[in-house]
Structure formats: C-alpha cells, structure tokens
Amino acid sequence: MTEAEVLFDKRDGVGLITLNRPKAINALNHSMAQAILSTLREWADDDEVRTVVLTGAGERGLCAGGDIVAIHTDAKNAVTHGVSRHDSADSPSGRFWRDEYILNALIGNYPKPYVAVMDGIVMGGGVGLSAHGNRRIVTERSMVGMPETGIGFIPDVGGTYLLARTPGELGTHVALTTARMGAGDAIAAGFADHFVPAERIPDLLAQLRRTDADAAIAAVAQPAPVSDLAAQRSWIDACYSADTVEEIVARLQRHDAPEAAKAAGDVLAKSPVALKVTLRSLRNARRAANLEQALDEEYRVSVAALTTHDLVEGIRAQVVDKDRNPQWAPATLAEVSDALVDSYFADLGDRELGLSGAQE
C-alpha cells in the first residue's frame, strides 16, 4: 500500500502532522490541504490534544510549496481556451487555493499552540502552513522564501500579509527578488520565533509530549543567529520605499551598496507584470485589517494569474523545461499598464473567497 501523503499521530497531548512527500520536498496538493484542514478543525475541540506540531518527512525541508506542475496544467488550459477569471476560480487550482487559504486562516487563528518546525526548505505554500502559526521554529538548515515572482505568480497563502509586516522594507525586498531567508533572517522578518539546532528537534518533540509548548521550546531553543538581511536595512529601506517598481529599480541601480546592484538585477529578471502586481498587493496588505482580508485579495490575484501567459511561461522555464530563460509578456516594466495591474484585483462576484466577510 502507498503511504499517506500526510501522517497524523495523536498521543501524549500532541497532535503531530507530518507532511509525507519527501521526494517532492513535501509539496502540498489539494488532498493534503483538505486532510490537514479537517484534522485541525477536529483537534481544535479535542481535549486530548494540548499542542499541534507540524513537521515534514525527509531531510530536505518542511515544504517546497504548492504542486506547481498541476497549476501549470490549469494555467495552460486557461490560456489556450480563453478561460475567464471567474471560471478559473472553479478550476482544480482555483478550488485548491480556496481550501488552502481557508487552512492558512485557520492556522493564523488557531486556539491551541501550533508549533511549526520550519527545518530545511520552506517556500510558498510551506510558508502558509507554518509562518501563520503561533510557535514557529527555525534551524540552521532553514531556507524560507516566497519565490512567486520568478514564475510569473504573486505571493499568496497570506504571504503578502507577512511580507507587509516585516521591519521596514525587508518584505518588499524578499518578495521582488525572491531572496531566501536563513534562520536569523526569518526571525528578524517576523516569519519565525525561535531558533533550535536541527539535532535538537527530536528533543523538542519529546519535550512537547511531556510539558506545555512554551516550556518545551525554552528547554531546547538557542539565541538566534545574526540576520544578514536586517543588517542591510539602510539601503533596503531607502530603495524599496518607492511607490513604483521602476523607481525601486532606479534607486537600487544608483545606490553604492554592492548588494543593491545585485538586487536590481534580481528584480529585473522577474516577470514585469508579477512585480507590479506584487508591489500593489504588498501595499494593500499593509492596510489589511487582518489575515483574512489579505487572503481574500490574494485569491482574486491568484485566480487572475491562472489565466496569464507569464504563469505558464514562468513554470515552463523554471520547472518543466528548466532552461531558466522565461520570455515574459509584457517584456518590460514600462509596458505593464495600470489597467493590466488593476485587472488582477477585480471582484470575482459569486466566486469570491469571502473569508473577511465570514469574520464579521
């Protein structure tokens, strides 16, 4: 028999969730999201569960993100057949995102300690499963990021909410360049809370079965490594506080910090339309009253992206053909109109996610 893609274990006061697709770095698919959502709802009212713990099988990481190949198939179909944004919400990817974002919101408001072990690679959808938790652990192997603009997509899974609340403009830098954050960076940016060496994770899990979450973490946690990212805030804040992607790039190119010039090149390699939509999303998320409001807007944007050339082309270049040479359209920032950016944020009518309304 094939082993389940998510393993659930309830004993000694701990509800343990293990993402179990190690060959795919535990990439999240729809059935996994549904299973986790159902179990978390059940455990929220289960007196036998004191603490929930999320971890990943294998040595490579907690979760590399969503199932990109499935999204590519839906995007290709939408572009080939001219599927509307409204109808793409009912595609397999649209339905997956709906349940995934509902899951992200539940994690963000979970009534019990939710300990996310963010060891190794934690990207995209993996961030959504972990960084909204109330006890977030990183190790020396952690590599945390939101790589969406590199495939013509826009940060989702509540990522815009997290990125918009980093100190200064760190989140804007991470989003537009797809920079990876190590343990110290993730803690400094508000994506994680505690540093635990990877060799002590088994000790942490054992402690969690014996005592409450905070005491268990305190027994094994160590001081966080220094954040290289936070140390660069002076040029990051100066450059990324601009109102347009064009001005951000211009400031980066003019700045005398060598890291700024590299960042300019990293930004310009990404999808021009994804960059502009991402900047708008981040600025909007700063004003969001809560995570649910940000997720509602991300759903509109994700569904819109599913109908675009750049998502198909970005996944092709990075994941399918792996030639690393995407041909973006529009090809330059100057060609991306305000109207095109606006279209990503249009109301979906009866296909809205509606999480923020549900909270009222």
Side-chain angles (χ1 to χ4, degrees):
M1 284 182 65
T2 304
E3 197 168 21
E5 293 179 325
V6 189
L7 305 177
F8 300 100
D9 175 60
K10 185 183 75 170
R11 57 192 169 88
D12 303 325
V14 172
L16 178 64
I17 302 170
T18 304
L19 307 180
N20 191 39
R21 297 181 67 198
K23 290 181 180 177
I25 319 182
N26 302 314
L28 184 71
N29 60 34
H30 196 175
S31 61
M32 293 167 70
Q34 288 176 315
I36 297 168
L37 180 61
S38 174
T39 301
L40 283 179
R41 284 171 168 165
E42 179 184 317
W43 284 351
D45 298 318
D46 188 339
D47 292 339
E48 293 181 7
V49 176
R50 178 179 64 247
T51 301
V52 171
V53 180
L54 174 74
T55 190
E59 296 295 316
R60 297 167 68 192
L62 172 67
C63 178
D67 192 336
I68 295 295
V69 175
I71 293 169
H72 185 249
T73 298
D74 285 344
K76 265 182 86 169
N77 178 68
V79 171
T80 301
H81 297 99
V83 176
S84 70
R85 294 171 63 255
H86 181 272
D87 289 340
S88 69
D90 198 38
S91 68
S93 292
R95 294 193 296 271
F96 166 48
W97 287 328
R98 179 174 291 276
D99 285 338
E100 184 183 22
Y101 299 178
I102 291 169
L103 172 58
N104 300 148
L106 176 62
I107 292 168
N109 293 284
Y110 207 64
K112 296 180 178 182
Y114 181 97
V115 181
V117 180
M118 301 170 70
D119 186 30
I121 293 171
V122 187
M123 299 288 166
V127 171
L129 290 176
S130 57
H132 299 301
N134 48 41
R135 312 285 196 289
R136 304 162 300 175
I137 310 297
V138 280
T139 75
E140 73 279 5
R141 304 188 300 200
S142 295
M143 186 183 298
V144 183
M146 299 297 291
E148 288 79 9
T149 58
I151 57 166
F153 198 47
I154 294 87
D156 67 332
V157 298
T160 62
Y161 191 77
L162 294 164
L163 291 161
R165 281 159 179 74
T166 60
E169 296 289 342
L170 297 183
T172 312
H173 170 69
V174 167
L176 299 188
T177 62
T178 70
R180 309 307 195 236
M181 294 182 285
D185 296 333
I187 291 172
F191 277 64
D193 305 301
H194 306 281
F195 175 75
V196 176
E199 66 180 12
R200 298 298 305 276
I201 294 301
D203 295 340
L204 171 63
L205 298 179
Q207 289 277 0
L208 286 164
R209 297 191 185 282
R210 290 195 288 267
T211 187
D212 67 88
D214 292 331
I217 294 167
V220 296
Q222 295 186 6
V226 172
S227 169
D228 294 333
L229 194 61
Q232 299 176 61
R233 260 197 68 185
S234 59
W235 70 263
I236 288 175
D237 289 359
C239 295
Y240 289 95
S241 57
D243 293 331
T244 67
V245 180
E246 288 94 333
E247 178 58 23
I248 288 172
V249 171
R251 290 185 187 183
L252 289 169
Q253 291 172 333
R254 289 195 302 265
H255 204 283
D256 56 9
E259 298 93 344
K262 180 185 182 301
D266 290 342
V267 172
L268 289 172
K270 307 303 185 287
S271 158
V273 66
L275 290 169
K276 286 199 171 184
V277 175
T278 294
L279 186 61
R280 172 89 63 88
S281 293
L282 293 178
R283 299 305 190 239
N284 288 353
R286 277 186 182 166
R287 299 187 294 271
N290 49 41
L291 172 60
E292 288 79 8
Q293 200 172 92
L295 285 163
D296 282 346
E297 181 163 285
E298 287 178 356
Y299 189 69
R300 293 178 178 180
V301 170
S302 296
V303 164
L306 197 64
T307 66
T308 64
H309 163 275
D310 273 13
L311 183 56
V312 177
E313 176 62 7
I315 298 175
R316 180 207 65 75
Q318 300 296 339
V319 180
V320 181
D321 297 338
K322 298 183 180 178
D323 60 27
R324 308 291 192 265
N325 186 32
Q327 302 301 303
W328 305 122
T332 66
L333 290 166
E335 295 173 88
V336 180
S337 68
D338 289 344
L340 177 56
V341 175
D342 290 344
S343 70
Y344 278 72
F345 297 87
D347 193 293
L348 289 169
D350 62 357
R351 300 293 170 85
E352 286 282 290
L353 183 59
L355 280 173
S356 56
Q359 296 294 307
E360 294 170 2

